[in-house]
């Protein structure tokens, strides 16, 4: 038995340290980090705002809110009130001080982070209805509609909708997914467009302005694996990370898969030797417009965290994030400020930023040319006495 473990391959880099810097040209430094708890707690949800407020849900059921000031993370408030795990945390896209959270006890809460984190509204169904444990949450880009996705309840998985001003739901869908709903993501610019992902292997695209669920369902796209993460990359392209750590990109207007990147391809692109240790975190659109995948490895000391650019035919090495100390479970990217935030199993919030460009060297002072005037013939000299 000992020989089996002795011969087990250890994940490691496939290139030398010096070559990594050449292969991964984009440079991000660890700006600051914060441990949210001294207990053995991990962070499973993360969201942020343009003003760089950050909210994380911790495995003990609490929610921590921080604000990035220069190079420090300052705590704004700590929120508690959900029974059990928190299914999602999302800031209002219109008001940075308002935060929504969903719990597995079937309640969505609205918090005002200015008032020491008080709950100002609860969204739930009628008291006599079956409790729907919510796994995910999102808010439309205009801030008006809230959507939460539930676990399977008596053979149905529910998408429940609320108007932000009303505690009772607008309605729900329950025929389009047959297993736990793991992701709900509104389009970044179209408040009526919603993408959902489930353990049933489907990504569904809805137009929620339609009167019925059947009319609202535009596409039911077969991912052929449980959906773990879902993100909008641009106006029509959505990225899906599966439970088996594969990545797919889809054209949501045509209903076609654009690209599929297997786990072993991702491992090769981040220059690791053992693809079974590779994991995918999330996909996002960078400031330069590139579609980027963040991935890491459990192998070695677990510090490997890198990003690659999604090319037409292959993945191109982009960034290696030196200084990571944990297995990363989720990330959030602020495009305008080019800041990446990662969190994970170590219970640490890490903020990554591109180093400032070096100041241009001062221009050399201009050298004045001396002009020697010719003396005029016959000119009188003045004596100094």
């Amino acid at each position: 038995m000992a020989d089996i473990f002795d011969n087990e391959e250890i994940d490691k880099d496939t290139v030398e340290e010096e070559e990594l810097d050449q292969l991964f040209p984009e440079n991000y430094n660890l700006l600051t980090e914060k441990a949210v708890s001294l207990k053995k707690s991990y962070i499973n949800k993360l969201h942020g705002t343009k003003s760089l407020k950050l909210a994380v849900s911790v495995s003990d059921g609490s929610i921590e809110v921080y604000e990035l000031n220069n190079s420090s993370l300052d705590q704004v408030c700590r929120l508690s009130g959900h029974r059990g795990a928190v299914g999602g945390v999302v800031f209002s896209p219109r008001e940075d001080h308002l935060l929504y959270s969903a719990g597995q006890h079937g309640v969505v809460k609205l918090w005002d982070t200015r008032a020491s984190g008080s709950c100002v509204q609860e969204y739930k169904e009628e008291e006599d209805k079956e409790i729907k444990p919510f796994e995910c949450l999102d808010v439309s880009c205009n801030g008006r509609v809230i959507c939460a996705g539930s676990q399977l309840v008596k053979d149905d998985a529910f998408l429940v909708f609320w108007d932000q001003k009303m505690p009772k739901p607008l309605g729900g869908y329950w025929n389009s997914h047959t297993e736990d709903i793991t992701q709900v993501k509104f389009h970044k610019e179209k408040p009526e467009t919603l993408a959902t992902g489930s353990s049933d292997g489907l990504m569904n695209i809805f137009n929620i302005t339609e009167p019925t669920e059947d009319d609202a369902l535009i596409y039911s796209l077969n991912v052929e694996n449980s959906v773990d993460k879902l993100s909008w990359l641009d106006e029509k392209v959505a990225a899906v990370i599966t439970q088996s750590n594969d990545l797919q990109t889809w054209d949501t207007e045509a209903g076609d898969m654009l690209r599929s990147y297997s786990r072993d391809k991702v491992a090769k692109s981040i220059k690791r030797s053992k693809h079974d240790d590779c994991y995918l975190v999330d996909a996002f659109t960078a400031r330069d417009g590139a579609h980027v995948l963040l991935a890491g490895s459990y192998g070695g000391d677990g510090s490997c965290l890198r990003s690659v650019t999604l090319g037409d035919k292959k993945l191109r090495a982009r960034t290696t994030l030196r200084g990571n100390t944990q297995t990363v479970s989720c990330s959030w990217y602020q495009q305008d400020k080019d800041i990446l935030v990662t969190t994970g199993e170590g219970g640490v919030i890490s903020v990554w930023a591109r180093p400032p460009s070096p100041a241009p060297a001062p221009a050399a002072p201009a050298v004045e040319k001396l002009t020697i005037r010719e003396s005029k013939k016959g000119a009188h000299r003045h004596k100094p006495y």
Side-chain angles (χ1 to χ4, degrees):
M1 184 69 72
D3 292 338
I4 296 175
F5 288 104
D6 289 342
N7 294 330
E8 187 176 356
E9 181 188 353
I10 299 174
D11 184 44
K12 58 186 177 181
D13 287 333
T14 57
V15 298
E16 296 298 325
E17 185 78 15
E18 296 77 15
E19 194 175 348
L20 283 175
D21 293 329
Q22 299 174 2
L23 292 172
F24 293 84
E26 300 289 334
N27 189 21
Y28 284 80
N29 291 341
L30 182 60
L31 180 65
T32 187
E33 59 182 10
K34 188 88 170 182
V36 300
S37 174
L38 297 176
K39 302 176 182 178
K40 292 183 178 179
S41 301
Y42 61 89
I43 297 171
N44 51 19
K45 302 291 180 182
L46 165 68
H47 198 247
T49 70
K50 287 186 177 181
S51 64
L52 298 180
K53 283 190 176 71
L54 302 171
V56 295
S57 65
V58 188
S59 55
D60 63 5
S62 65
I63 300 169
E64 303 270 357
V65 182
Y66 293 87
E67 188 169 18
L68 180 64
N69 294 309
N70 296 321
S71 60
S72 68
L73 278 171
D74 300 328
Q75 188 180 50
V76 176
C77 57
R78 186 176 191 272
L79 312 175
S80 59
H82 285 293
R83 299 194 303 274
V86 176
V89 289
V90 181
F91 280 101
S92 166
R94 296 295 185 183
E95 298 175 276
D96 283 3
H97 60 277
L98 296 179
L99 176 71
Y100 296 90
S101 64
Q104 294 198 349
H105 57 304
V107 176
V108 173
K109 291 177 178 284
L110 174 60
W111 309 86
D112 189 337
T113 61
R114 299 172 304 179
S116 299
S118 61
C119 180
V120 295
Q121 180 70 278
E122 286 192 347
Y123 305 88
K124 51 188 176 181
E125 294 195 272
E126 302 294 337
E127 295 293 336
D128 59 346
K129 291 196 175 182
E130 187 88 23
I131 292 177
K132 299 176 178 61
F134 292 131
E135 285 284 307
C136 48
L137 172 74
D138 203 13
V139 181
S140 61
C141 61
N142 60 8
R144 291 187 56 189
V145 180
I146 307 159
C147 178
S150 83
Q151 296 178 6
L152 195 66
V153 179
K154 290 185 177 179
D155 299 325
D156 290 315
F158 292 83
L159 292 165
V160 185
F161 299 90
W162 291 268
D163 183 308
Q164 59 148 348
K165 298 179 180 178
M166 303 293 292
K168 293 184 179 180
L170 294 168
Y173 302 156
W174 54 88
N175 293 321
S176 301
H177 286 296
T178 57
E179 296 290 343
D180 295 351
I181 297 171
T182 57
Q183 293 280 284
V184 291
K185 295 290 182 181
F186 279 100
H187 193 281
K188 295 177 182 179
E189 297 175 356
K190 301 175 182 177
E192 73 279 3
T193 302
L194 176 72
T196 64
S198 168
S199 298
D200 61 11
L202 298 178
M203 175 176 66
N204 290 335
I205 309 297
F206 296 95
N207 178 354
I208 64 170
T209 60
E210 295 293 339
T212 67
E213 181 175 355
D214 287 343
D215 293 335
L217 183 61
I218 302 171
Y219 286 116
S220 188
L221 307 174
N222 190 1
V223 177
E224 298 183 350
N225 204 321
S226 297
V227 175
D228 186 49
K229 296 282 181 66
L230 194 160
S231 58
W232 288 97
L233 297 181
D234 58 33
E235 186 175 353
K236 65 177 184 178
V237 177
V240 177
I241 293 175
T242 70
Q243 196 173 47
S244 59
N245 284 286
D246 301 321
L247 173 69
Q248 300 175 10
T249 56
W250 289 80
D251 183 331
T252 61
E253 292 183 356
D256 297 327
M257 183 192 290
L258 299 174
R259 293 284 180 268
S260 178
Y261 306 94
S262 62
R263 187 181 194 179
D264 61 331
K265 287 184 180 179
V266 175
K268 289 177 183 177
S269 70
I270 65 171
K271 306 306 176 187
R272 300 296 287 189
S273 63
K274 189 178 179 184
H275 72 267
D276 287 347
D277 283 345
C278 176
Y279 65 89
L280 279 58
V281 181
D282 211 347
F284 58 90
T285 302
R287 190 174 185 175
D288 61 4
H291 296 166
V292 177
L293 170 67
L294 185 66
S297 172
Y298 303 112
D301 60 3
S303 65
C304 176
L305 183 64
R306 292 166 186 165
S307 72
V308 292
T309 301
L310 309 185
D312 291 338
K313 295 183 179 180
K314 63 180 183 179
L315 301 168
R316 297 191 299 273
R318 185 178 178 91
T319 307
T320 182
L321 297 164
R322 300 182 185 277
N324 177 58
T325 58
Q326 64 184 335
T327 297
V328 172
S329 59
C330 47
S331 67
W332 175 78
Y333 178 72
Q334 212 297 312
Q335 191 178 67
D336 294 339
K337 296 180 174 65
D338 201 7
I339 285 178
L340 175 68
V341 182
T342 59
T343 61
E345 294 183 4
V348 175
I349 304 172
S350 302
V351 181
W352 309 86
R354 193 184 293 273
S357 302
V367 178
E368 295 183 4
K369 293 183 178 180
L370 298 178
T371 303
I372 301 176
R373 296 182 179 179
E374 296 180 359
S375 61
K376 295 181 179 179
K377 291 183 179 180
H380 296 285
R381 290 177 177 267
H382 294 284
K383 294 181 180 180
Y385 55 85

